[in-house]
Amino acid sequence: MKHHVFRLSRPLTIVTAALMLGVAALLFIPMQGTDIMQDYAAAWALRQGLDPNAPTSVLRKLCCDPDHPAGSEAIAFQTAHPPFVTMMFLPLAWLSWPTARLAWLIISWTAVLGAWRILNVPDRVRVATAPWWIFALGMGTLEPVIFVLIAVAIWAMSHGSRWAGVALGIATAIKIYPGLLIIGLWLAGRRAAALIAAATCISCMLIGEWMLGFGATMAWLGYMPINTAYFVDQAYNFSLPHIIRLIAPVASPIVASIIALTILCAPLIRRVMHTGRWTTLVPAMLFGTPLTWGSYLPLLSLAPLPGAALALLWLSGAANILATFELLLWMPAQMLVALVVVLPLIAISLAWYHQLSAPDQQWPATARPEFATSGKSTT
């Protein structure tokens, strides 16, 4: 039977998708301090003629939450995302904050479902990553959009289109860490697509600079080390640089990240060059970045995953949701930490190790290569 990218949803997918949207709305809509707040506040400030790089707490009090005690944070947090993201949120800045939050939830939810369709993700992977998608959707993170952009890049590359680089370039302009996949494209021999991705990323950054004003990118780059240094040692940061700093606290986050990426990528380079499967670097990309939050974990489904990793993702994600609902107060703190912190670290480690041992599989016509059983590679 010929595969169609956009076919009717299976019952399990419908149930999973409905639960994702419903629980995300129920869990996080009442909350104010979500990830989308910083982007909405920056875009709102730009529309009002204010400084989009002003402290988010000040902008939050003006645009969204009059009762918020501006200046109460330990440091003057501003938006941690590039100027291009602020520009991307400008249409939502014309809406009220509650309406914008709901709109972004629907956009993000649709992005996840679209990526599932494009990549023909199996039911077991959808179910396993659904709890962490609930977290990402409710917090209003950018990962659902990055997920669908990388999915489009995979789909386009499977059809031999070098313009897959455009989608990957936009994803990198939104958050820096997908840039490792551009290197993966280059190593896989898809150098035209890699150059297009790099050019697209630079173009998006220039557009953001033009919209926000000269110096906006430098202001963001100047803030990034401050933001990273503050959050890198947080317990819920599932990154290898965090672990390295636990062993060697004197290591700076950048040095720790360079060490981590070297350790993670070096064993995979030959495999990427041999198979042409640039998504092999996805676990290394997520594990090696200085900050790896729970919303990043579902992106592991862009690479082949062992069953143990899927089980751990589901268990830790479900525990995270139940803990947020305060339904695990009876559980000893050490056990809760093991469920919500240790299990994701094991899952991402297993995902990385699996890239070293997974069978060499080729790209099918429309689905992900790791789900294919035959077919000539077009990447």
Side-chain angles (χ1 to χ4, degrees):
M1 179 182 293
K2 184 179 179 181
H3 170 79
H4 294 278
V5 175
F6 299 100
R7 69 179 187 277
L8 292 177
S9 297
R10 288 163 287 192
L12 183 58
T13 296
I14 296 175
V15 173
T16 302
L19 285 174
M20 281 169 49
L21 181 63
V23 177
L26 178 65
L27 199 59
F28 295 107
I29 283 297
M31 296 173 56
Q32 289 289 340
T34 53
D35 201 51
I36 186 183
M37 169 71 74
Q38 59 184 314
D39 300 310
Y40 176 86
W44 180 89
L46 182 63
R47 188 174 74 84
Q48 298 293 330
L50 303 174
D51 180 12
N53 286 322
T56 298
S57 62
V58 174
L59 298 179
R60 171 178 172 175
K61 187 176 181 67
L62 293 173
C63 73
C64 315
D65 187 6
D67 297 327
H68 180 68
S72 61
E73 289 83 359
I75 64 174
F77 295 109
Q78 65 180 63
T79 177
H81 299 145
F84 179 72
V85 176
T86 300
M87 185 201 71
M88 189 176 74
F89 270 81
L90 272 176
L92 291 181
W94 290 90
L95 305 175
S96 66
W97 166 235
T99 304
R101 288 195 66 186
L102 181 59
W104 185 249
L105 174 61
I106 299 298
I107 291 170
S108 301
W109 179 70
T110 304
V112 174
L113 299 188
W116 282 354
R117 282 280 170 253
I118 292 170
L119 299 181
N120 192 29
V121 176
D123 287 341
R124 66 182 186 279
V125 179
R126 301 183 192 196
V127 172
T129 55
W132 285 112
W133 275 130
I134 290 172
F135 178 79
L137 293 173
M139 293 301 293
T141 66
L142 297 169
E143 272 59 46
V145 173
I146 291 175
F147 184 48
V148 75
L149 285 170
I150 298 177
V152 169
I154 293 172
W155 184 86
M157 190 60 67
S158 72
H159 285 70
S161 173
R162 65 185 60 181
W163 295 102
V166 174
L168 190 56
I170 295 173
T172 306
I174 293 174
K175 280 195 172 181
I176 294 299
Y177 64 81
L180 185 63
L181 298 183
I182 298 178
I183 298 176
L185 279 177
W186 185 273
L187 293 174
R190 298 297 150 185
R191 296 181 177 176
L195 291 174
I196 290 173
T200 300
C201 177
I202 294 172
S203 299
C204 290
M205 294 177 67
L206 291 175
I207 293 172
E209 181 83 357
W210 173 65
M211 288 292 296
L212 272 68
F214 181 75
T217 301
M218 292 304 299
W220 166 68
L221 289 174
Y223 172 70
M224 285 308 299
I226 300 173
N227 184 79
T228 302
Y230 185 85
F231 286 108
V232 69
D233 296 323
Q234 298 292 314
Y236 293 98
N237 176 21
F238 308 118
S239 75
L240 185 55
H242 177 202
I243 298 174
I244 291 174
R245 282 177 53 84
L246 290 177
I247 300 171
V250 296
S252 71
I254 297 301
V255 171
S257 187
I258 293 173
I259 295 173
L261 287 172
T262 301
I263 294 172
L264 295 169
C265 292
L268 298 174
I269 290 176
R270 177 170 297 194
R271 189 168 181 83
V272 173
M273 296 175 67
H274 174 68
T275 64
R277 192 173 63 198
W278 47 279
T279 52
T280 295
L281 294 178
V282 166
M285 171 188 76
L286 298 174
F287 205 15
T289 186
L291 302 178
T292 304
W293 306 119
S295 59
Y296 293 31
L297 296 177
L299 297 180
L300 288 170
S301 59
L302 292 165
L305 296 176
L310 292 175
L312 293 177
L313 284 174
W314 183 87
L315 184 59
S316 60
N320 180 62
I321 297 302
L322 292 175
T324 306
F325 270 118
E326 298 185 350
L327 296 177
L328 296 181
L329 297 178
W330 55 270
M331 183 176 292
Q334 295 87 344
M335 184 178 296
L336 185 59
V337 169
L339 283 174
V340 182
V341 177
V342 178
L343 292 190
L345 289 172
I346 298 175
I348 197 170
S349 300
L350 290 174
W352 172 81
Y353 181 76
H354 188 67
Q355 309 314 304
L356 297 172
S357 57
D360 293 344
Q361 295 163 312
Q362 297 175 318
W363 295 80
T366 55
R368 302 188 313 169
E370 55 269 26
F371 302 139
T373 57
S374 63
K376 183 178 179 181
S377 174
T378 59
T379 60

